[in-house]
Amino acid sequence: MSRTDTGMRVAGAWLAIASVLLGFVLVGHGPIHPDLALQMHIIANNVTLWVVVHWAAAAALSLFVVASLIVLTAGSRLTEHWWTLSAWAVVPVGALWTMTTAVAEATTVADAAAANDMARFSAWWAFAEGKANGFMFLCLAVVVIAGNEALSRQQITPTWASLVGVVAGLAAFAGWALGMWFGIWLGSLVWVASSFVMALWTLWFGLGLARTEISVSSARSSSSGA
């Protein structure tokens, strides 16, 4: 088995694990309420769940970083175009931004909510909310990756499934903007549901990569053949 095939299988395994964790995180997290005082009350009533969910989110996002870095260095068809190469490079950026949010919410935000300290909660919530915008970049990266998979001749997931991944990523992006930027609770609900569907696609894609041999990029194949 070539280094590229090994890299893709390893990346797929980590991507699948990350996706499973993210799915559980989204179920436990739920939509975010636009009323900050009510959101603090929700967290205060479920501090343990909130902490566990966000540490799990940090772990999931870390594994997305691992998977993407392996893909970027493996030299497979997944990164042979500039747009797919860019998308896989955006994955760790978005994941690392959002991982900072997860850690902040599992620690300082949770502590402030439990202590009913609105001033500290508001300050750290603003920080966490700003960093969490990185999830939007992650969603857009998945849109590009899934879209490329839908057009590929060596598909890991069926065309319809890849297109579902595209739509889910776009809906998650829009839902986050509506919920967090414009304070529309329904947008936050759309974000959670769409992100869950997106995680199902990345799980399917990751499992497919983990058990399928992926050919090296056409450019490398051509150069080695010459």
Side-chain angles (χ1 to χ4, degrees):
M1 186 182 296
S2 70
R3 177 177 175 274
T4 296
D5 293 333
T6 300
M8 289 300 91
R9 290 186 177 219
V10 173
W14 287 125
L15 182 61
I17 296 171
S19 301
V20 170
L21 279 174
L22 181 60
F24 283 120
V25 165
L26 290 164
V27 171
H29 190 288
I32 299 171
H33 202 283
D35 187 321
L36 193 58
L38 183 53
Q39 181 62 40
M40 186 177 78
H41 181 69
I42 292 172
I43 297 172
N45 287 339
N46 300 275
V47 172
T48 300
L49 175 62
W50 187 262
V51 170
V52 170
V53 162
H54 284 85
W55 279 121
L61 292 163
S62 298
L63 294 182
F64 272 106
V65 174
V66 171
S68 61
L69 292 178
I70 295 173
V71 170
L72 287 169
T73 58
S76 76
R77 69 162 181 86
L78 299 183
T79 56
E80 66 180 341
H81 302 296
W82 69 264
W83 56 88
T84 50
L85 181 62
S86 299
W88 282 106
V90 167
V91 169
V93 175
L96 287 171
W97 272 40
T98 315
M99 185 175 63
T100 308
T101 292
V103 173
E105 294 198 22
T107 54
T108 311
V109 170
D111 288 342
N116 197 30
D117 186 343
M118 176 55 83
R120 184 158 60 103
F121 180 84
S122 299
W124 278 97
W125 185 263
F127 168 81
E129 184 178 337
K131 296 289 286 187
N133 287 321
F135 195 80
M136 299 177 72
F137 298 125
L138 180 61
C139 292
L140 290 180
V142 171
V143 168
V144 174
I145 293 166
N148 182 73
E149 196 61 25
L151 298 174
S152 175
R153 288 178 295 181
Q154 297 174 287
Q155 294 181 333
I156 300 299
T157 59
T159 300
W160 68 265
S162 299
L163 292 177
V164 168
V166 171
V167 173
L170 289 173
F173 177 92
W176 176 266
L178 290 173
M180 301 307 295
W181 295 358
F182 300 102
I184 301 173
W185 183 85
L186 182 59
S188 187
L189 181 61
V190 169
W191 163 68
V192 172
S194 300
S195 297
F196 184 81
V197 175
M198 185 179 74
L200 290 179
W201 181 78
T202 56
L203 171 60
W204 190 348
F205 186 60
L207 290 174
L209 287 176
R211 63 174 181 263
T212 304
E213 292 190 5
I214 309 297
S215 301
V216 294
S217 67
S218 55
R220 290 196 175 189
S221 297
S222 298
S223 62
S224 61

